[in-house]
């Protein structure tokens, strides 16, 4: 594992989150899911102040977001709270693209981006990894499902796909033998999950399983069907 990835993995494990299934790379840039950062914020007890609205237009929103990470006890002493702030911006057809009849939820997107940046600062991942909401080019590398805010999704939910992918990858990581990975991938329930995924996502999960097999020593054992 490259040094930067190990740094990211070491920090994620503090909050019970694995690297696999939560982080991927887009042209060398590490990107993390928004849902993962939400879980970490809840685990760490991060509290957000009400946002300050800097710009409010029909197609643009700019918010100032401030978050607080509670201090911890170090012996008899209590360390002070950590406070970080950041901006969240969304401007339609500039850094937030919509298409067809898709509605633009600029305030929701600005809030997500601002909160994600603050969380990354508070958990010391700022500069090592970016949120998936940071820019459309990151989201473009995700499964080809309509990228709208989950609160207003009408078709196949974007988060439902990414969470299924992440859950399956976590189960692949937890499989400790070649046979365990193979059995998981050939299981009827797994096949049903894969069949419901977009082709690009399905191929990525299968490649992930193959990489896990290789790390466990495959193809040393023979006589079993391929997991992919």
């Amino acid at each position: 594992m490259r040094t930067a990835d190990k740094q990211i993995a070491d920090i994620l494990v503090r909050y019970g989150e694995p690297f696999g299934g939560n982080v991927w790379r887009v042209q060398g840039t590490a990107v993390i899911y928004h849902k993962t950062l939400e879980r970490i914020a809840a685990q760490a007890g991060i509290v957000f102040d009400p946002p300050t609205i800097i710009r409010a237009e029909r197609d643009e929103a700019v918010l100032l977001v401030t978050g607080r990470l509670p201090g911890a006890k170090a012996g008899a002493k209590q360390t002070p709270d950590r406070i970080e702030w950041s901006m969240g911006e969304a401007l339609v057809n500039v850094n937030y693209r919509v298409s067809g009849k898709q509605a633009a939820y600029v305030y929701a997107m600005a809030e997500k981006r601002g909160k994600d940046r603050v969380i990354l600062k508070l958990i010391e991942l700022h500069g090592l990894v970016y949120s998936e909401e940071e820019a459309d080019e990151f989201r473009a590398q995700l499964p080809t499902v309509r990228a709208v805010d989950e609160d207003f999704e009408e078709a196949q939910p974007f988060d439902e796909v990414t969470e299924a992918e992440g859950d399956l990858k976590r189960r692949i990581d937890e499989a400790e033998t070649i046979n365990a990975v193979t059995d998981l991938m050939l299981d009827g329930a797994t096949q049903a999950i894969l069949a419901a995924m977009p082709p690009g996502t399905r191929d990525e999960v299968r490649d992930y399983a193959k990489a896990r097999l290789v790390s466990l020593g495959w193809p040393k054992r023979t006589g079993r069907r391929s997991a992919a």
Side-chain angles (χ1 to χ4, degrees):
M1 181 180 287
R2 68 180 78 187
T3 303
D5 286 354
K6 187 177 186 309
Q7 286 181 267
I8 297 168
D10 288 345
I11 292 174
L12 290 181
V13 77
R14 298 178 196 168
Y15 304 99
E17 296 288 344
F19 182 93
N22 283 321
V23 179
W24 75 100
R25 286 190 173 272
V26 177
Q27 297 180 349
T29 299
V31 185
I32 189 169
Y33 289 119
H34 168 72
K35 284 290 188 181
T36 303
L37 293 178
E38 284 190 323
R39 292 195 299 267
I40 289 174
Q43 177 72 18
I46 294 174
V47 177
F48 292 95
D49 293 347
T52 300
I53 299 176
I54 306 299
R55 188 171 182 83
E57 305 290 345
R58 187 191 68 173
D59 293 333
E60 181 181 16
V62 180
L63 306 177
L64 171 63
V65 178
T66 302
R68 302 167 186 270
L69 178 65
K73 283 190 175 181
K77 296 183 178 180
Q78 176 76 27
T79 60
D81 293 356
R82 285 190 56 206
I83 302 174
E84 294 286 355
W85 63 269
S86 190
M87 307 298 290
E89 314 97 336
L91 176 58
V92 174
N93 294 328
V94 175
N95 64 359
Y96 177 37
R97 294 183 179 85
V98 295
S99 59
K101 296 182 179 179
Q102 178 184 329
Y105 299 100
V106 291
Y107 299 99
M109 181 58 72
E111 179 188 5
K112 282 184 175 182
R113 289 176 175 173
K115 282 187 172 180
D116 285 355
R117 291 169 184 169
V118 169
I119 294 168
L120 289 171
K121 287 183 178 182
L122 288 172
I123 65 174
E124 300 178 342
L125 276 179
H126 185 67
L128 291 174
V129 63
Y130 292 85
S131 161
E132 67 170 290
E133 305 293 355
E134 189 70 21
D136 280 347
E137 55 262 33
F138 293 159
R139 296 179 67 86
Q141 300 299 320
L142 290 170
T144 52
V145 178
R146 261 194 319 137
V148 302
D149 188 80
E150 64 266 25
D151 294 332
F152 304 96
E153 182 61 274
E154 297 175 353
Q156 184 180 12
F158 177 85
D159 285 326
E160 190 174 296
V161 174
T162 56
E163 286 179 7
E165 175 192 1
D167 178 66
L168 191 48
K169 285 182 177 179
R170 280 191 287 271
R171 291 166 64 192
I172 292 170
D173 288 336
E174 291 169 359
E176 297 181 351
T177 66
I178 293 173
N179 286 350
V181 176
T182 303
D183 290 341
L184 171 64
M185 295 303 292
L186 294 177
D187 183 75
T190 301
Q191 290 295 313
I193 293 171
L194 290 170
M197 288 180 172
T201 308
R202 183 165 55 246
D203 291 343
E204 182 180 341
V205 173
R206 285 173 172 166
D207 288 342
Y208 195 88
K210 288 179 182 178
R212 179 61 174 158
L213 286 171
V214 171
S215 73
L216 292 170
W218 181 79
K220 288 182 180 179
R221 299 185 185 184
T222 58
R224 296 182 66 91
R225 290 178 294 164
S226 168

